[in-house]
Amino acid sequence: MNRIIDFLQSFDMQIKCAGDNAERMINILDIYYIESVDKKTFVYLENAVYCTDFRLYQLKRKLQTYGFVQISKSCILNINTLNSIRPLFNSRMEATLKNGEKVTINRNYLNEIKRALGGDREE
C-alpha cells in the first residue's frame, strides 16, 4: 500500500536540471538513473541527459522512497526502469534498462537492489 502511495506522490515530484542552454523541471518518473562524474551530477532520461546542481547523496535521500536505489558509489537507479539483470564477473551485476542502456551494479549494493525488488523482506 505504501508503495502505491509513494508512486502516486511521485507524479508531482520534479528536479531542477540544466540542458539545451535552459533550465528545466524534470519529473522523477522520467528519470532512468542519476550519475556523478567529475563532481557533476547527470540525470539520464530515456533519450536525453541533463545536468543538475544537486549532489548524488542529496538526490538519493530525496528519491529513495520513490523507487531509486544506489547501485554504485557514483550512481542511483530508478528501479521502475529496470528491464533485466544478469551476473557479471567479480560478483557484480549488469542491469539492462527499458531503453536498452546498461549500467553496472556493484556487489556492495546488491542488497539494496534485492530489498527494492522485494526479495529481502523482513519478517
Side-chain angles (χ1 to χ4, degrees):
M1 186 62 131
N2 288 337
R3 196 173 211 174
I4 293 170
I5 292 169
D6 290 340
F7 179 75
L8 292 174
Q9 289 175 340
S10 69
F11 280 105
D12 293 332
M13 178 76 94
Q14 295 182 333
I15 295 175
K16 186 176 179 180
C17 295
D20 302 331
N21 298 321
E23 288 188 352
R24 300 183 75 173
M25 296 302 289
I26 303 295
N27 190 303
I28 64 167
L29 295 176
D30 296 330
I31 299 171
Y32 276 59
Y33 65 98
I34 302 168
E35 186 175 37
S36 180
V37 179
D38 295 331
K39 297 186 180 183
K40 291 186 179 183
T41 305
F42 297 95
V43 176
Y44 292 81
L45 309 182
E46 183 176 13
N47 296 314
V49 179
Y50 295 96
C51 191
T52 184
D53 290 333
F54 288 104
R55 296 290 204 185
L56 194 67
Y57 75 90
Q58 293 171 316
L59 292 171
K60 179 188 174 196
R61 192 176 325 131
K62 185 176 187 176
L63 300 175
Q64 65 188 359
T65 58
Y66 301 106
F68 285 78
V69 294
Q70 189 156 8
I71 61 168
S72 71
K73 185 177 178 181
S74 62
C75 187
I76 55 177
L77 171 69
N78 180 351
I79 205 76
N80 300 307
T81 65
L82 185 62
N83 193 37
S84 65
I85 298 177
R86 73 179 187 98
L88 294 175
F89 297 109
N90 298 329
S91 301
R92 294 181 306 152
M93 305 287 265
E94 180 180 74
T96 302
L97 308 181
K98 290 179 180 177
N99 65 351
E101 195 161 345
K102 298 176 191 289
V103 292
T104 301
I105 303 169
N106 186 300
R107 66 178 170 219
N108 297 330
Y109 298 93
L110 288 176
N111 285 337
E112 290 192 43
I113 291 288
K114 284 182 189 177
R115 202 171 304 119
L117 295 173
D120 193 19
R121 296 179 195 268
E122 292 182 20
E123 309 248 344

